[in-house]
Amino acid sequence: MDKQSPATDFREFIQHLKAHGELIDIHEHVDPDLEVGAITRRVYETRAPAPMFNRLQTGDPGLRILGAPAGMSRKKGQEYIRLAAHFNLPASAQPAEILNAIIMAKQKPAIAPIRLNDAPCKQNKMIGDDVDLTRFPVPLLHQEDGGRYFGTYGFHVVQSPDGTWDSWSVGRTMLHNRNTLVGPAMSMQHIGMIHAMWAKEGKRTPWAMVLGAPPAAMAVAGMPLPAWVSEPDYVGTLTHQPVPVIKCETNPLYVPAFSEIVVEGEISFDELQMEGPMGEYHGYSFDEGKPQPVFHVRAITWRDNAILPICVAGIPPEENHTIWGTMMAAEALAQCQKDGLPVDMVWCTYEAASCWLVLSVDINELAKMETTANDFVELIADTFFKSHVAWLIPKVILVANDIDITNVEQVVWALATRSHPKRDYHIYSQKPGIPMVPYLDDEDKENEHGGKMIINCLFPEEFRGKPRARKACFNDSYPDDLKQQVIEKWQQYGY
Ligand SMILES: Cc1cc2nc3c(=O)[nH]c(=O)nc-3n(C[C@H](O)[C@H](O)[C@H](O)COP(=O)(O)O)c2cc1C
Ligand SMILES: [Mn+2]
């Protein structure tokens, strides 16, 4: 078997973060009831190293929690280090390099998983009546949450009834009681589609949830790949080696062998229980929970001193932005390239809480199309809005590629100065979209549409390959030799 790395093994990932000063070992006694959540929230908001909670007040001794596994770093030039480590990329990797690494797997043949007979995730087992989820330190993450969340940084494993589609997808699960979890399985998400296939046959969906999975697998499970594309194969291609998997104890599914905790069982087709509310990716917590499907747990297996990774969702940046947002941007970029659109970069601005996607338009390529603003916006709406990824993000912003779309200051400047209030805000009230967007009303949510918009920040001249005006800034407003001189004499000036 291949050697493991930070992308393929959660423990290697932790060593890597430690070696880069991106993880703090906490030996204080910490309470999973709100204290873990409060510390992790403060970590995201101050961009501090990821907290490893080694001593918890509840749960079996030895079990641990890792907070903010893909939080941002405050180290200059290494802001994306935790995200980059999910793909074995260097600490200094920036968004364009990260997206390219993710989508190169599209060009290569799938690498199917390799099956093992024994693995660390089988070191401890609870089966049948012995199953007790409360032996784990299941945290209450925000005081407004409707319950304790077991799965906030793990993924569901399901398979289509015909056995041809293996789906790994990130989704949250709340503790209902000692052997059941409850969580969303939205009909447009792949777990919802596969759940519906089983339900149609009058069967419960065989299911597993994996926590502390190989980081690359976790990221791909948060990527809106098209339906019928198996995430495990994509992970293999992305990491250049097959994912080692092992069979569940109580059902025929295979799960990543290098995992911390595996929960297995089945999803009911007719039982619902209240789930939530929970502080969510958009940065709000709504008052009401919702009835969601029940996940029956038939077995739990885990590594010695297992680590439960968590995401404490809310105001950005947390993993819904750094992982989900990045993976949506990657999929959208691949989709635009496939559709032949003149788009050279896509970014899901973390500060916009996965509610908008910015498309960088190559104006030289745009000029070759000899199109108009309205026709171009329609083309984006017709091609892009059809994709699985576009369902997830309500707003799309088009800007010329003189803007670095990964720099929020530049995006705000373009948005304010380049979009005409009358001409450039295109509303698509009938296009379907995710009903979780905060500004939607009850009717929108029920119909799963209402929130879509394209904002065109392309100046009319840019459709002919030219900027409208020159930029007034250090880079563009002075001759090169003078700029060089100013940089060289900077300290002499007294700075
Ligand atoms: C930390 C994190 C939490 C997420 N929570 C949910 C969730 O609770 N429900 C959901 O539908 N999607 C959630 N997502 C997004 C899905 O994982 C994502 O849309 C993915 O594409 C779903 O897989 P699928 O495309 O195979 O359906 C989350 C993503 C991340 C990274
Ligand atoms: Mn999928």
Side-chain angles (χ1 to χ4, degrees):
M1 199 180 54
D2 297 290
K3 199 174 163 314
Q4 300 307 315
S5 64
T8 62
D9 178 18
F10 194 70
R11 300 258 168 138
E12 293 276 337
F13 171 75
I14 282 167
Q15 286 314 318
H16 177 82
L17 296 191
K18 268 190 202 176
H20 283 82
E22 276 298 310
L23 186 148
I24 301 250
D25 264 310
I26 298 180
H27 296 290
E28 277 290 303
H29 240 133
V30 174
D31 195 346
D33 189 346
L34 294 181
E35 193 180 2
V36 160
I39 295 168
T40 306
R41 258 281 120 207
R42 196 153 194 264
V43 161
Y44 292 124
E45 294 175 19
T46 59
R47 304 193 172 202
M52 174 71 93
F53 301 101
N54 289 293
R55 288 183 73 208
L56 293 154
Q57 284 173 13
T58 52
D60 282 6
L63 297 175
R64 297 173 281 169
I65 291 180
L66 177 72
M72 295 290 283
S73 172
R74 63 164 79 114
K75 281 204 212 102
K76 225 171 160 27
Q78 300 194 359
E79 294 85 354
Y80 301 92
I81 172 173
R82 277 177 249 170
L83 170 68
H86 283 66
F87 311 104
N88 287 340
L89 292 171
S92 59
Q94 294 296 306
E97 182 181 355
I98 297 172
L99 293 203
N100 282 331
I102 297 165
I103 61 179
M104 68 82 202
K106 300 244 173 198
Q107 321 300 333
K108 299 193 175 166
I111 299 181
I114 173 175
R115 293 179 174 183
L116 305 188
N117 293 319
D118 194 22
C121 69
K122 302 285 190 184
Q123 280 165 341
N124 305 276
K125 294 179 189 178
M126 278 185 228
I127 298 184
D129 291 342
D130 290 338
V131 165
D132 185 0
L133 289 157
T134 65
R135 281 178 55 192
F136 288 83
V138 188
L140 180 66
L141 299 172
H142 320 80
Q143 61 186 354
E144 58 273 19
D145 288 359
R148 294 194 279 153
Y149 276 84
F150 192 83
T152 53
Y153 203 68
F155 59 80
H156 297 291
V157 174
V158 291
Q159 190 182 58
S160 59
D162 69 3
T164 62
W165 178 18
D166 289 297
S167 168
W168 290 358
S169 69
V170 182
R172 71 195 198 199
T173 49
M174 191 185 95
L175 193 73
H176 176 62
N177 61 28
R178 69 201 299 269
N179 59 7
T180 52
L181 295 166
V182 55
M186 285 191 284
S187 60
M188 292 290 285
Q189 298 286 60
H190 296 161
I191 186 174
M193 292 181 194
I194 291 174
H195 182 47
M197 294 176 198
W198 285 95
K200 211 171 141 202
E201 297 184 7
K203 291 183 185 146
R204 291 173 163 185
T205 309
W207 156 88
M209 176 164 240
V210 185
L211 296 126
M218 182 62 203
V220 170
M223 181 175 188
L225 288 165
W228 300 96
V229 174
S230 291
E231 282 84 7
D233 296 0
Y234 198 84
V235 179
T237 316
L238 183 56
T239 57
H240 315 288
Q241 64 193 66
V243 187
V245 293
I246 191 156
K247 202 181 104 34
C248 283
E249 302 293 308
T250 60
N251 67 36
L253 295 170
Y254 280 77
V255 291
F258 290 88
S259 300
E260 296 290 323
I261 305 167
V262 179
V263 178
E264 52 181 86
E266 72 252 342
I267 317 172
S268 167
F269 61 86
D270 56 357
E271 290 164 80
L272 302 174
Q273 286 292 341
M274 287 305 284
E275 186 257 347
M278 188 188 86
E280 286 179 345
Y281 72 93
H282 38 60
Y284 301 91
S285 178
F286 289 95
D287 286 347
E288 302 284 318
K290 257 172 82 174
Q292 300 286 10
V294 170
F295 295 70
H296 291 280
V297 180
R298 305 296 180 206
I300 310 174
T301 69
W302 68 102
R303 268 185 98 146
D304 291 341
N305 301 314
I307 304 161
L308 176 71
I310 60 163
C311 163
V312 186
I315 299 266
E318 39 84 347
E319 289 74 15
N320 283 286
H321 319 108
T322 60
I323 296 287
W324 190 35
T326 303
M327 302 314 281
M328 287 193 287
E331 182 61 25
L333 178 59
Q335 191 75 43
C336 290
Q337 288 174 350
K338 188 165 153 265
D339 290 340
L341 296 170
V343 171
D344 59 11
M345 178 66 183
V346 175
W347 194 239
C348 200
T349 313
Y350 294 167
E351 290 80 357
S354 299
C355 287
W356 83 33
L357 198 61
V358 189
L359 270 47
S360 166
V361 177
D362 182 329
I363 62 164
N364 291 324
E365 292 300 314
L366 179 68
K368 287 185 198 157
M369 290 174 71
E370 298 184 1
T371 184
T372 63
N374 283 345
D375 285 352
F376 187 61
V377 167
E378 280 312 308
L379 179 69
I380 301 274
D382 283 349
T383 49
F384 184 61
F385 275 169
K386 283 203 195 92
S387 66
H388 180 39
V389 53
W391 183 79
L392 298 163
I393 305 182
K395 293 178 179 166
V396 174
I397 301 174
L398 308 176
V399 295
N401 60 345
D402 66 309
I403 294 293
D404 171 1
I405 60 168
T406 65
N407 179 332
V408 66
E409 294 177 14
Q410 293 190 28
V411 172
V412 167
W413 177 62
L415 193 56
T417 61
R418 300 185 184 185
S419 60
H420 190 291
K422 195 165 161 199
R423 288 192 294 271
D424 291 327
Y425 291 74
H426 300 257
I427 293 160
Y428 296 87
S429 51
Q430 301 306 313
K431 295 273 183 202
I434 190 168
M436 294 177 80
V437 178
Y439 56 74
L440 296 178
D441 62 21
D442 289 345
E443 199 189 321
D444 294 329
K445 285 187 199 167
E446 206 159 293
N447 297 322
E448 294 201 7
H449 67 211
K452 292 270 183 222
M453 157 150 102
I454 297 179
I455 307 174
N456 175 30
C457 302
L458 296 162
F459 282 129
E461 293 80 358
E462 285 166 343
F463 286 83
R464 297 190 295 277
K466 295 191 181 68
R468 165 163 283 197
R470 295 177 64 122
K471 280 191 246 180
C473 61
F474 178 75
N475 198 45
D476 291 20
S477 302
Y478 307 93
D480 285 344
D481 51 350
L482 178 64
K483 283 191 288 186
Q484 194 55 36
Q485 182 194 314
V486 167
I487 292 166
E488 277 162 17
K489 289 179 70 179
W490 200 241
Q491 276 166 334
Q492 259 171 273
Y493 296 135
Y495 289 102

